[in-house]
């Protein structure tokens, strides 16, 4: 995607426009890694390593035009996940225009930002939002890129309402892979999952790793704070770390469903895998004035190093 010609330099990031005139934020690390975040949806649309390789999947048929969400990157699902509720699919946050938060309050717990370039975004409900979901909230998102090229997203939801409310949340992360049949996920063994292909029936994972031979749409509940996605062909492993998000959603549409999606190529299921840090099974409830924080950190490392990360999950 063209970054456009109009840009504005800010500390740690640059505001540009895409070909539709929508504002984007570009963050770059000194070593060459980069992230782009679209203010439409507060959505990370690109994450490249220091060699310029794109690590997130975006469909060649994606529609980059509000109010449609873009098929790819990391859409924010809030306050609903999927169609489990009365709102539009995955809620409204991914279809709204966010603002750059110039005066973001400090995080409640230590996020070492010394070696990171970051941008803070903010979403508040519009009058239309309040008609379909009558709760006043502030949703903040900090997107950071470390010196090593690791991507972190920290979301904070504050209840500024006079009564409690509940919500679901997910970072709907589209990872770019070489060939889905060559990919496996480690760290979800023996966990229970809800199978969305079987009316959310509960099963227990039997495999020693998750591999892919057909459509998969599962919510792994009570998952550990770190899992690994191994791409054998690229000899690359994604390390997924999370806090405040108890579930992991795993999705690949496979061949049949791919052909039913207008904004997705018929064969593109082979090059993508969604692994979402999420709070789906049990809604998060906030009393007036309370705040919830959820964090995702993504690293891409040579596969030979991945066991070190899984053995030492405490880095987040």
């Amino acid at each position: 995607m063209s970054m456009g010609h109009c840009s504005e330099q800010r500390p740690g990031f640059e505001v540009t426009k895409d070909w539709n005139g929508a504002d984007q934020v570009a963050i770059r690390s000194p070593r060459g890694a980069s992230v782009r975040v679209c203010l439409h949806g507060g959505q990370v649309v690109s994450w490249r390593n220091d060699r310029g390789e794109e690590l997130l999947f975006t469909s060649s048929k994606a529609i980059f035009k509000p109010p449609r969400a873009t098929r790819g990157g990391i859409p924010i699902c809030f306050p609903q996940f999927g169609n489990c509720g009365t709102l539009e699919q995955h809620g409204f946050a991914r279809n709204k225009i966010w603002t750059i938060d110039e005066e973001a309050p400090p995080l409640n717990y230590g996020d070492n930002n010394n070696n990171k370039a970051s941008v803070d975004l903010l979403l508040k409900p519009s009058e239309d939002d309040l008609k379909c979901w009558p709760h006043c909230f502030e949703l903040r998102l900090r997107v950071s890129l470390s010196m090593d090229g690791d991507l972190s997203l920290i979301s904070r939801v504050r209840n500024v309402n006079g009564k409690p409310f509940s919500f679901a949340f997910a970072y709907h992360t589209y990872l770019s892979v070489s060939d889905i049949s060559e990919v496996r996920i480690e760290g979800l063994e023996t966990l229970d999952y809800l199978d969305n292909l079987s009316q959310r029936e509960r099963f227990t994972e039997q495999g020693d790793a998750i591999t892919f031979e057909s459509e998969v749409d599962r919510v792994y509940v009570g998952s550990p704070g770190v899992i690994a996605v191994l791409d054998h062909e690229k000899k690359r492993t994604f390390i997924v770390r999370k806090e405040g998000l108890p579930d992991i959603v795993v999705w690949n549409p496979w061949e049949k469903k791919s052909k039913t999606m207008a904004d997705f190529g018929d064969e593109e299921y082979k090059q993508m895998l969604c692994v979402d840090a999420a709070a789906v099974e049990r809604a998060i409830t906030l009393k007036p004035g309370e705040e919830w924080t959820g964090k995702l950190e993504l690293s891409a490392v040579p596969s030979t190093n991945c066991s070190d990360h899984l053995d030492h999950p405490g880095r987040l």
Side-chain angles (χ1 to χ4, degrees), residues 158-270:
R158 177 171 289 278
N159 182 347
V160 292
N161 213 34
K163 58 185 179 182
F165 63 71
S166 299
F167 62 92
F169 188 95
Y171 294 115
H172 192 23
T173 307
Y174 286 78
L175 298 175
S176 175
V177 300
S178 56
D179 182 345
I180 188 62
S181 62
E182 296 290 319
V183 172
R184 77 177 193 269
I185 302 176
E186 295 183 353
L188 301 177
E189 307 82 45
T190 74
L191 293 185
D192 283 1
Y193 64 86
L194 309 177
D195 193 338
N196 289 321
L197 303 180
S198 301
Q199 289 74 52
R200 294 173 66 85
E201 189 177 346
R202 197 178 190 98
F203 296 94
T204 301
E205 179 58 53
Q206 303 296 329
D208 56 2
I210 298 168
T211 55
F212 300 89
E213 299 171 343
S214 60
E215 183 181 355
V216 172
D217 189 354
R218 300 173 181 172
V219 180
Y220 285 84
V221 299
S223 56
V226 58
I227 66 166
V229 181
L230 289 81
D231 185 338
H232 298 292
E233 196 169 305
K234 282 191 176 170
K235 296 182 173 58
R236 172 189 294 150
T237 295
F238 291 102
I239 306 298
V240 180
R241 294 182 177 83
K242 61 187 179 66
E243 282 182 13
L245 296 158
D247 307 322
I248 286 281
V249 181
V250 178
W251 180 64
N252 183 287
W254 218 254
E255 189 171 10
K256 186 176 177 182
K257 184 164 188 179
S258 295
K259 292 178 178 176
T260 69
M261 296 190 290
D263 59 349
F264 193 82
D266 289 357
E267 300 289 314
E268 286 185 327
Y269 71 92
K270 296 175 182 176

Side-chain angles (χ1 to χ4, degrees), residues 235 237 239 301-311:
K235 296 182 173 58
T237 295
I239 306 298
V301 300
S303 288
T304 49
N305 298 344
C306 69
S307 60
D308 292 345
H309 291 261
L310 280 175
D311 291 339

Side-chain angles (χ1 to χ4, degrees), residues 53-254:
E53 297 169 324
E54 181 58 64
L55 302 171
L56 299 176
F57 167 87
T58 298
S59 173
S60 62
K61 294 190 172 184
I63 299 165
F64 296 96
K65 201 162 187 179
R68 290 289 297 273
T70 301
R71 176 74 67 185
I74 309 179
I76 302 290
C77 302
F78 170 88
Q80 176 179 303
F81 184 80
N83 56 9
C84 300
T86 58
L87 301 175
E88 61 198 275
Q89 172 91 353
H90 291 324
F92 50 72
R94 65 185 187 143
N95 294 322
K96 301 298 180 182
I97 302 299
W98 296 50
T99 58
I100 294 174
D101 192 2
E102 304 280 8
E103 299 178 359
L107 288 158
N108 291 337
Y109 65 95
D111 177 53
N112 182 8
N113 244 26
N114 296 341
N115 296 316
K116 294 180 180 179
S118 301
V119 64
D120 288 288
L121 303 183
L122 174 64
L123 179 68
K124 294 182 179 181
S126 66
E127 287 187 18
D128 285 344
D129 297 335
L130 290 170
K131 287 174 187 172
C132 65
W133 200 68
H135 306 293
C136 287
F137 66 88
E138 293 174 349
L139 170 51
R140 287 184 161 82
L141 172 66
R142 174 173 292 176
V143 180
S144 302
L145 189 64
S146 75
M147 288 283 286
D148 294 333
D150 296 346
L151 171 63
S152 72
L153 292 86
I154 301 176
S155 290
R156 292 180 280 172
V157 178
R158 177 171 289 278
N159 182 347
V160 292
N161 213 34
K163 58 185 179 182
F165 63 71
S166 299
F167 62 92
F169 188 95
Y171 294 115
H172 192 23
T173 307
Y174 286 78
L175 298 175
S176 175
V177 300
S178 56
D179 182 345
I180 188 62
S181 62
E182 296 290 319
V183 172
R184 77 177 193 269
I185 302 176
E186 295 183 353
L188 301 177
E189 307 82 45
T190 74
L191 293 185
D192 283 1
Y193 64 86
L194 309 177
D195 193 338
N196 289 321
L197 303 180
S198 301
Q199 289 74 52
R200 294 173 66 85
E201 189 177 346
R202 197 178 190 98
F203 296 94
T204 301
E205 179 58 53
Q206 303 296 329
D208 56 2
I210 298 168
T211 55
F212 300 89
E213 299 171 343
S214 60
E215 183 181 355
V216 172
D217 189 354
R218 300 173 181 172
V219 180
Y220 285 84
V221 299
S223 56
V226 58
I227 66 166
V229 181
L230 289 81
D231 185 338
H232 298 292
E233 196 169 305
K234 282 191 176 170
K235 296 182 173 58
R236 172 189 294 150
T237 295
F238 291 102
I239 306 298
V240 180
R241 294 182 177 83
K242 61 187 179 66
E243 282 182 13
L245 296 158
D247 307 322
I248 286 281
V249 181
V250 178
W251 180 64
N252 183 287
W254 218 254

Side-chain angles (χ1 to χ4, degrees), residues 1 3 27-29 31-36 44-56 145-146 148-151 236 300:
M1 184 190 299
M3 293 298 294
I27 306 173
R28 294 180 181 83
S29 80
R31 295 175 186 169
S34 65
V35 169
R36 282 189 287 118
V44 174
V45 293
S46 174
W47 171 38
R48 293 180 181 270
N49 62 18
D50 55 12
R51 293 182 297 283
E53 297 169 324
E54 181 58 64
L55 302 171
L56 299 176
L145 189 64
S146 75
D148 294 333
D150 296 346
L151 171 63
R236 172 189 294 150

